[in-house]
Amino acid sequence: MTWETVIGLETHVQLSTKTKLFSRASTTFGKSPNTNVNLIDCGLPGVLPSVNKEAFYKAIRFGMAVGSKINQTSIFDRKNYFYADLPKGYQITQMDLPIVLGGKIDIETDSGIKTINITRAHLEEDAGKSIHDEFDGFSAIDLNRAGTPLLEIVSEPEISNAKEAVSYMKAMHQLVTFLDVSDGNMSQGSLRCDANVSIRKKGDSKLGTRTEIKNINSFKFIEKAINFEIKRQVQVLESGGNVIQETRLYDSYKDETRPMRSKEFANDYRYFPEPDLLPVVISDSEMQEIKDHFPELPKEKKARYQKEYGLAIYDAQIIASSKSMADFFDAAVQKTKNYILLSNWLIGEISAFLNKETIEINESKLSAENVAVLINRIDDQTISGKIAKSIFEEMCSSGESPDQIIESKGLKQITDDDSIEKVVDEVIANNPDQVEGYQSGKDKLLGFFVGQVMKETQGKANPQTVNKILKEKLTK
Amino acid sequence: MDQETVRTICYLARLEIDKDKAEKIENELEAIINLIGGLQAFDTENIEPLYSPLEQKAFKHEDIENSDNKKDEFLKNAAASNDDYFLVPRVVE
Amino acid sequence: MSIQYKTISQLREMIDAKSISSQELVKETLKLAESLKELNCFVTMNKDEGIKKAIEVDGTNTSNSLLKGIPLAQKDLFCTEGLRTTCSSKILADFVPPYTATAVEKLENAGSITIGKTNMDEFAMGSSNETSFFGNVHNPWKKGYVPGGSSGGSAAAVAAGIIPAATGTDTGGSIRQPAAHCGITGIKPTYGRVSRWGMIAFASSLDQAGPLARSAEDCAILLNEMSGYDPKDTTCLNVENTNLLQSINQPIKGLKIGIVKEFNLGDLKAEVQIRFEESKKIYESLGAEFVEISLPSISASVPTYYSIAPAECSSNLSRFDGVRFGYRAKDTDDLNDLYIKSRSEGFGDEVKRRILIGTYALSAGYYDAYYKKAQQVRRLIKNDFEVAFRSIDLIMTPTSPGTAFAFGSKGVQNPVELYLEDLFTISSNLAGLPAISIPHGKVNGLPVGLQLIGNFLKEDLLLNAAHIFQQNSEFHLERPSMEEF
């Protein structure tokens, strides 16, 4: 029996607005509990929501980037249900008339580029957080997150396997970060997805019963959760059972999905238009403003890097594909003209370091200015490439500028002939056997002399000059 | 309104009716539903619903922080809380 | 000297002439309220803070507002920072809000002193003030009789002369009907005229705050201060507010007043009809012309309202879950049990009925037939008014088909009985139009009210027409004997 998988993803993107969707409380992550909570977010009696325009602008940017239809008039609806972290007993969301309809996103698959259609995207407020294990017998509620703007993006059920799902999420991540719609920080919950998974016999046109795996927040878990679920559903069907339509959670410790505790009654959300908010209208001039200030996307950056900075296609692609890396590059090129050297360092040493620490460049202590200065110092021969590497290490751990490090450690490259000549003379004088060896044809010994000179100068002598003077002096 | 429907809407609204009042309440609900059923007599074909008497668009505010947080007072009003959180009986997911 | 029954202008004169300080005035008011506490108008008194504020106000020199130093009462639906706000419900019996409603804040910024929170029907659901957790309010005209609702406490306190004015809220008639039953004046402004920030929501698209007082003039003074754009309320109108006192004395010659054919006034109790006809004659003598108008869908008002209001309230009241504030039941097994027990123990029967009906009207399979259908019929009703107002300036109706009644004598067997009494007031809430009730005599010794409905934003015309009537009649000057209290 060959089975095929049908997956639809609902991505919840936390928008990077400074304040919440319906209140002017801050959205800053990591604040102490219940401090980023305004009267409205607490759902106190008598409070009323008010619309944050920036949330709309970000949602529209997303819609424009994926080629969707923007509903310039959209409305909010109430989704009614009870849960401890839902202060009003309803969530304000968009049901019938969402801000974004349709659109498409290209993903990379093993067999080339595949286009996934987007059904819709709408704005809604996030709920608070419940902590279940910290206080004996109690669940604790923190409403800091309550009211944070979310863009819920629904894909058509066109994804065929776990790898494609990851590819879709990666493409989504890149898009929302480049658009400055979200910081995409999955560990902080800025990007989460619910996966709707069903299987059917290959060739069948009817969809199988689907289950929904909720709140997966890493690329790795998306792949594992979906693969587990596919296997589980296959087992159920092959043993003659039926897949139950239910909501499941992924347990990363056990690497399995299990059903969420649900009540006997299915939830009827009783959607109706939010009477405390009127229809939100985006004017034509607002739409134009958004178009005029559209951020540069990876494709455009790649082309620009090749054209303006002479980067090779491959290098341009790498730098352009990460928002933090691209932003870094864009800032650094303001301070240095050696674009190729800069890009080599970014792709080489710097990327290696970031990978090792598993951080983004904007999470490191490196600044674009400092890296630009480092490139300049190599370029103007203040330091050698080798010394630059050790300066770089210091920059990574201390965040100091290269000049500070060069100064404090006295790492300036020695380039003047006189100083180097003095050391060369000393080395030659101290190693007569090797001199003889070199002069009798053992060319490789040049390396020994270079090494000795470098040792005497703590690596600061300019290697080309050392080579030149050594050759001059040894060839007699 | 059959028993099943009453049970469902009671659960959705997180309300329970005392068994001794149940019949009376059901009759009252029945009477109110009959009242609002009278709407069916009105022809509303092609009529847009009027969700608010104001036919104006929503005001959109700037994305600028303005906190009116009163954490201690918020927590104080709760039946169970500690210095940082609202507390409820432990929920198992 | 007695402060009972003094108007705002009279009290203003006394304060300006320094024959009484605001502090003394507030103390006298509190004493008066205490002496009449059998009426049960108040849920919470604001004694210490009230006196403190009065002393402050006495200390300032500028006397730029008519309300400076004047004692007022606020319906217990408005959040008042630091002062208990209960909505006359057990579920909020100990709730102290951390903020103040805009409408109240504006009145207080104008210098008025809040002396207490008035009793009401629980969560504004009711038309007799018999659903309050804190007990019934007595109609000052007759002990053991209802004052009307839901702003029963405010109406009774004003009718008993304790304070010159109070705030109320009106979702289906809750300012106008108690004003009528208590022989005083009450106005519901255009929807959106007064900010709803801090006004605990019953039905969001219908609720509106307004004043109750013993004259149209005093209502105008309060409404002037209460009105105004508030960005915290998206459903607030961003329009310029005219001074309602400016045009209040305009002669009303040529005013066209519509009588609604479909209301079948001929079916009303004879005495109510007589009062209505007499008032018509007064208006005619002042130069008004009467025209018959048709509002073909008006008979749908009551079923429309009782689909929409419960639906919106069922959602608005979900926040009362015992988690962050309000009553929480003891000994609950889990979160769901906490919700069910807290809400079932905390809410009264009428509130529960309306939440259940509302939940039903919004539920899958019924939404189109009830909630959506009601909102469509609502548009028909609004359209009818729009058409009618092309040829008339105001519409006149009795406020209520009957007078106040004895406690427990109506709506007990069948709540619909009471709902049907809202037929004259409800349509203006559905259409968002302003409406006022003024006293125009008595039937069997109990007051009856005359209602005027105006077009969108025409509160000035309503108050003008009401004031001229009051300049040419004495109904609004009648006082209950109060000997039973």
Side-chain angles (χ1 to χ4, degrees):
Chain A
M1 184 72 65
T2 35
W3 299 97
E4 67 178 12
T5 312
V6 175
I7 301 167
L9 292 178
E10 282 167 27
T11 311
H12 287 93
V13 178
Q14 232 174 46
L15 301 182
S16 54
T17 51
K18 295 200 208 63
T19 60
K20 297 186 176 181
L21 183 52
F22 299 116
S23 84
R24 289 165 61 180
S26 160
T27 51
T28 311
F29 183 82
K31 284 290 159 92
S32 72
N34 289 304
T35 52
N36 271 358
V37 178
N38 271 9
L39 294 166
I40 304 172
D41 310 311
C42 201
L44 286 173
V47 296
L48 297 168
S50 168
V51 180
N52 180 340
K53 63 167 70 153
E54 190 60 33
F56 268 87
Y57 296 166
K58 287 189 195 273
I60 291 169
R61 268 213 295 282
F62 171 82
M64 285 178 178
V66 298
S68 67
K69 171 179 186 292
I70 309 293
N71 280 324
Q72 282 177 252
T73 299
S74 67
I75 61 174
F76 282 105
D77 298 289
R78 290 191 188 178
K79 176 179 182 182
N80 296 281
Y81 65 98
F82 284 89
Y83 198 63
D85 57 22
L86 191 67
K88 298 185 294 296
Y90 57 86
Q91 177 198 35
I92 303 179
T93 176
Q94 295 187 301
M95 178 66 169
D96 286 339
L97 203 59
I99 181 70
V100 164
L101 268 180
K104 44 179 101 210
I105 201 166
D106 285 338
I107 66 172
E108 286 180 16
T109 72
D110 291 333
S111 37
I113 306 284
K114 180 173 172 182
T115 303
I116 306 290
N117 285 299
I118 290 170
T119 319
R120 50 177 276 156
H122 70 260
L123 287 166
E124 62 182 28
E125 53 177 351
D126 208 346
K129 273 211 182 104
S130 309
I131 300 163
H132 303 298
D133 305 310
E134 218 170 287
F135 302 95
D136 210 24
F138 288 104
S139 284
I141 299 158
D142 175 10
L143 296 177
N144 276 355
R145 199 183 64 179
T148 304
L150 293 177
L151 184 65
E152 181 179 318
I153 305 161
V154 182
S155 84
E156 290 288 325
E158 294 169 353
I159 297 167
S160 317
N161 57 56
K163 276 201 152 57
E164 281 183 15
V166 173
S167 188
Y168 174 90
M169 288 304 290
K170 284 192 168 156
M172 191 63 75
H173 179 273
Q174 187 187 69
L175 191 57
V176 299
T177 49
F178 272 90
L179 288 172
D180 189 24
V181 158
S182 169
D183 65 21
N185 188 328
M186 293 181 87
S187 63
Q188 289 181 357
S190 301
L191 194 68
R192 337 192 269 259
C193 90
D194 298 341
N196 291 300
V197 181
S198 70
I199 60 175
R200 62 183 172 195
K201 291 193 195 118
K202 205 169 167 79
D204 238 357
S205 57
K206 192 160 161 276
L207 286 171
T209 310
R210 65 177 165 82
T211 60
E212 185 184 12
I213 312 169
K214 283 195 91 62
N215 275 332
I216 316 171
N217 64 353
S218 87
F219 297 131
K220 192 169 85 181
F221 294 159
I222 291 169
E223 191 166 354
K224 281 171 174 275
I226 292 177
N227 278 332
F228 177 88
E229 185 58 19
I230 294 170
K231 219 161 104 193
R232 185 192 75 83
Q233 289 193 13
V234 167
Q235 270 173 359
V236 165
L237 290 178
E238 280 183 346
S239 58
N242 286 318
V243 172
I244 309 168
Q245 180 171 345
E246 61 189 353
T247 310
R248 299 175 77 89
L249 286 179
Y250 176 68
D251 182 335
S252 56
Y253 293 113
K254 294 190 183 153
D255 187 24
E256 63 179 25
T257 66
R258 54 181 163 77
M260 271 181 88
R261 286 246 183 134
S262 59
K263 286 285 160 177
E264 329 121 46
F265 298 99
N267 239 328
D268 175 358
Y269 294 117
R270 289 154 284 137
Y271 291 95
F272 71 102
E274 169 58 81
D276 290 332
L277 291 171
L278 302 168
V280 179
V281 173
I282 306 291
S283 67
D284 290 341
S285 64
E286 281 173 297
M287 292 288 281
Q288 193 57 51
E289 264 281 310
I290 297 169
K291 282 198 191 106
D292 290 344
H293 291 96
F294 216 75
E296 207 180 25
L297 294 179
K299 238 195 250 175
E300 289 140 34
K301 279 198 196 288
K302 179 178 150 191
R304 181 165 65 88
Y305 292 165
Q306 288 174 250
K307 185 159 172 255
E308 263 178 57
Y309 302 111
L311 262 53
I313 294 185
Y314 176 74
D315 296 2
Q317 167 122 335
I318 296 195
I319 296 176
S321 68
S322 152
K323 172 122 202 298
S324 51
M325 187 69 80
D327 283 349
F328 195 94
F329 181 80
D330 285 334
V333 294
Q334 304 299 321
K335 305 276 181 179
T336 178
K337 295 261 183 304
N338 197 336
Y339 310 126
I340 305 292
L341 190 58
L342 172 66
S343 111
N344 287 344
W345 268 82
L346 278 170
I347 296 172
E349 289 290 325
I350 295 179
S351 287
F353 164 71
L354 297 174
N355 284 333
K356 185 161 139 250
E357 302 294 313
T358 59
I359 52 173
E360 298 277 326
I361 200 167
N362 57 349
E363 291 168 310
S364 75
K365 292 206 171 112
L366 299 167
S367 73
E369 166 128 23
N370 284 347
V371 168
V373 167
L374 183 70
I375 299 300
N376 287 341
R377 294 291 167 266
I378 300 173
D379 204 34
D380 67 23
Q381 310 227 320
T382 308
I383 52 175
S384 67
K386 193 146 172 245
I387 295 280
K389 289 201 172 117
S390 59
I391 294 177
F392 171 70
E393 266 170 46
E394 187 62 37
M395 280 164 67
C396 285
S397 61
S398 71
E400 281 182 314
S401 77
D403 286 338
Q404 281 172 309
I405 300 168
I406 290 170
E407 193 62 47
S408 63
K409 299 210 171 172
L411 296 172
K412 264 209 172 105
Q413 188 169 227
I414 303 168
T415 51
D416 66 299
D417 287 9
D418 289 338
S419 318
I420 294 181
E421 215 183 303
K422 274 207 184 72
V423 179
V424 167
D425 286 340
E426 226 184 279
V427 166
I428 289 180
N430 289 337
N431 297 283
D433 294 332
Q434 283 82 350
V435 172
E436 218 190 290
Y438 179 80
Q439 283 174 340
S440 58
K442 293 193 181 139
D443 292 340
K444 282 211 174 98
L445 281 171
L446 186 66
F448 166 76
F449 287 106
V450 173
Q452 288 297 307
V453 173
M454 293 309 254
K455 201 167 110 198
E456 288 303 312
T457 61
Q458 293 97 40
K460 288 187 286 194
N462 180 302
Q464 288 87 348
T465 314
V466 169
N467 264 283
K468 183 183 93 182
I469 296 178
L470 269 172
K471 279 201 184 125
E472 270 173 28
K473 299 233 171 206
L474 289 169
T475 324
K476 282 254 168 82
Chain B
M1 276 243 277
D2 57 62
Q3 292 268 330
E4 183 64 35
T5 312
V6 177
R7 260 202 321 148
T8 308
I9 63 170
C10 278
Y11 183 72
L12 287 174
R14 300 299 189 275
L15 290 173
E16 68 189 353
I17 315 176
D18 293 331
K19 284 202 169 48
D20 49 353
K21 282 188 183 170
E23 204 187 323
K24 179 168 189 285
I25 301 238
E26 277 167 39
N27 290 335
E28 288 167 350
L29 295 179
E30 200 65 63
I32 301 172
I33 289 169
N34 282 334
L35 169 71
I36 65 181
L39 288 174
Q40 301 310 314
F42 290 84
D43 179 13
T44 51
E45 201 172 321
N46 296 322
I47 303 287
E48 272 302 302
L50 183 69
Y51 294 112
S52 170
L54 290 182
E55 300 211 271
Q56 68 182 31
K57 55 187 186 181
F59 168 73
K60 307 192 287 284
H61 68 252
E62 297 293 332
D63 188 27
I64 299 171
E65 195 184 328
N66 186 0
S67 168
D68 60 22
N69 175 262
K70 291 188 187 180
K71 173 180 151 183
D72 295 333
E73 281 191 59
F74 295 167
L75 292 171
K76 205 171 66 179
N77 259 317
S81 63
N82 58 26
D83 286 341
D84 292 314
Y85 298 100
F86 300 99
L87 298 174
V88 293
R90 187 154 173 269
V91 176
V92 186
E93 255 172 6
Chain C
M1 83 231 55
S2 176
I3 51 132
Q4 199 175 6
Y5 293 117
K6 293 270 187 291
T7 65
I8 294 175
S9 321
Q10 288 169 331
L11 291 173
R12 167 95 271 111
E13 263 173 61
M14 284 161 74
I15 295 177
D16 286 346
K18 302 225 189 309
S19 38
I20 193 171
S21 69
S22 177
Q23 192 196 146
E24 285 163 334
L25 180 52
V26 167
K27 286 186 173 148
E28 282 301 308
T29 306
L30 290 165
K31 269 213 304 250
L32 187 53
E34 177 65 29
S35 71
L36 291 170
K37 74 170 185 228
E38 203 181 343
L39 287 168
N40 202 23
C41 305
F42 290 97
V43 174
T44 309
M45 300 311 289
N46 190 27
K47 183 162 175 240
D48 294 337
E49 285 302 313
I51 293 172
K52 201 165 122 193
K53 168 105 193 268
I55 294 172
E56 246 174 70
V57 163
D58 280 332
T60 61
N61 268 321
T62 50
S63 153
N64 44 12
S65 167
L66 291 167
L67 284 176
K68 185 164 173 275
I70 303 292
L72 299 177
Q74 316 292 352
K75 184 174 181 179
D76 209 12
L77 189 84
F78 293 98
C79 284
T80 41
E81 186 175 349
L83 182 61
R84 184 173 73 148
T85 300
T86 69
C87 294
S88 285
S89 176
K90 178 177 174 180
I91 219 169
L92 285 181
D94 297 316
F95 178 63
V96 180
Y99 75 110
T100 299
T102 298
V104 171
E105 200 172 62
K106 279 163 151 324
L107 289 169
E108 290 179 345
N109 286 343
S112 73
I113 319 288
T114 297
I115 56 110
K117 307 298 292 295
T118 59
N119 205 345
M120 49 183 277
D121 274 305
E122 188 183 359
F123 282 108
M125 298 182 207
S127 27
S128 61
N129 219 133
E130 290 179 289
T131 66
S132 164
F133 176 63
F134 298 100
N136 293 354
V137 173
H138 288 268
N139 189 319
W141 291 88
K142 193 164 179 148
K143 193 164 165 185
Y145 271 58
V146 303
S150 60
S151 312
S154 286
V158 170
I162 299 172
I163 32 162
T167 53
T169 64
D170 192 311
T171 305
S174 292
I175 286 175
R176 293 162 284 159
Q177 187 252 38
H181 284 351
C182 289
I184 61 169
T185 306
I187 179 169
K188 176 197 90 69
T190 307
Y191 182 86
R193 184 67 95 169
V194 178
S195 168
R196 290 189 301 117
W197 174 261
M199 203 173 111
I200 298 177
F202 159 17
S204 314
S205 74
L206 300 166
D207 292 344
Q208 194 56 193
L212 293 97
R214 290 186 299 276
S215 68
E217 189 172 353
D218 280 0
C219 279
I221 294 173
L222 257 79
L223 194 53
N224 267 347
E225 299 297 341
M226 289 169 80
S227 310
Y229 177 62
D230 180 8
K232 296 196 288 292
D233 175 3
T234 303
T235 60
C236 207
L237 282 167
N238 195 355
V239 293
E240 226 188 277
N241 287 301
T242 51
N243 181 350
L244 297 166
L245 291 167
Q246 217 160 40
S247 51
I248 210 169
N249 277 306
Q250 298 279 57
I252 56 168
K253 189 163 162 55
L255 191 70
K256 287 205 171 49
I257 305 180
I259 303 288
V260 181
K261 184 171 82 178
E262 289 85 1
F263 275 148
N264 294 321
L265 298 178
D267 291 345
L268 291 172
K269 267 206 294 247
E271 302 94 326
V272 175
Q273 283 184 57
I274 291 170
R275 292 267 39 85
F276 191 78
E277 291 304 316
E278 292 294 316
S279 294
K280 240 178 102 179
K281 286 198 192 105
I282 295 177
Y283 268 113
E284 277 167 335
S285 73
L286 294 166
E289 296 164 30
F290 284 88
V291 173
E292 192 187 69
I293 58 160
S294 172
L295 299 174
S297 304
I298 203 76
S299 63
S301 307
V302 175
T304 302
Y305 175 88
Y306 282 99
S307 304
I308 297 171
E312 291 181 5
C313 98
S314 71
S315 180
N316 283 330
L317 266 60
S318 293
R319 68 192 63 197
F320 300 103
D321 55 11
V323 173
R324 289 145 297 114
F325 50 82
Y327 176 79
R328 185 190 285 200
K330 307 261 184 308
D331 306 320
T332 52
D333 302 328
D334 56 28
L335 187 61
N336 256 322
D337 201 32
L338 188 149
Y339 288 147
I340 294 171
K341 291 216 167 63
S342 303
R343 289 163 62 80
S344 305
E345 290 166 24
F347 287 136
D349 287 344
E350 182 61 31
V351 169
K352 283 190 209 157
R353 263 195 291 272
R354 299 213 190 181
I355 292 176
L356 291 173
I357 288 294
T359 307
Y360 180 73
L362 289 174
S363 61
Y366 298 105
Y367 178 87
D368 285 347
Y370 292 114
Y371 185 72
K372 184 165 173 206
K373 180 83 180 175
Q375 299 284 32
Q376 288 171 301
V377 175
R378 182 182 189 170
R379 188 177 289 281
L380 292 178
I381 294 171
K382 182 175 181 200
N383 291 347
D384 284 354
F385 275 111
E386 257 170 52
V387 169
F389 274 111
R390 287 181 206 153
S391 58
I392 45 125
D393 303 306
L394 299 176
I395 295 172
M396 193 166 100
T397 79
T399 307
S400 173
T403 64
F405 48 85
F407 290 162
S409 64
K410 271 202 184 152
V412 178
Q413 295 306 322
N414 183 359
V416 174
E417 193 184 2
L418 271 179
Y419 296 174
L420 290 170
E421 303 225 333
D422 295 332
L423 76 152
F424 297 127
T425 50
I426 261 179
S427 52
S428 23
N429 298 86
L430 292 170
L433 298 172
I436 190 170
S437 177
I438 52 177
H440 72 148
K442 305 248 227 342
V443 167
N444 299 329
L446 290 163
V448 278
L450 183 69
Q451 179 182 232
L452 296 168
I453 304 172
N455 205 353
F456 212 63
L457 297 176
K458 298 308 279 171
E459 291 87 343
D460 51 358
L461 186 57
L462 281 178
L463 287 159
N464 171 211
H467 178 71
I468 299 296
F469 183 92
Q470 288 177 346
Q471 296 291 80
N472 291 279
S473 63
E474 290 186 342
F475 304 113
H476 66 293
L477 299 170
E478 286 170 29
R479 309 275 172 252
S481 73
M482 302 279 287
E483 51 195 24
E484 298 173 289
F485 297 103

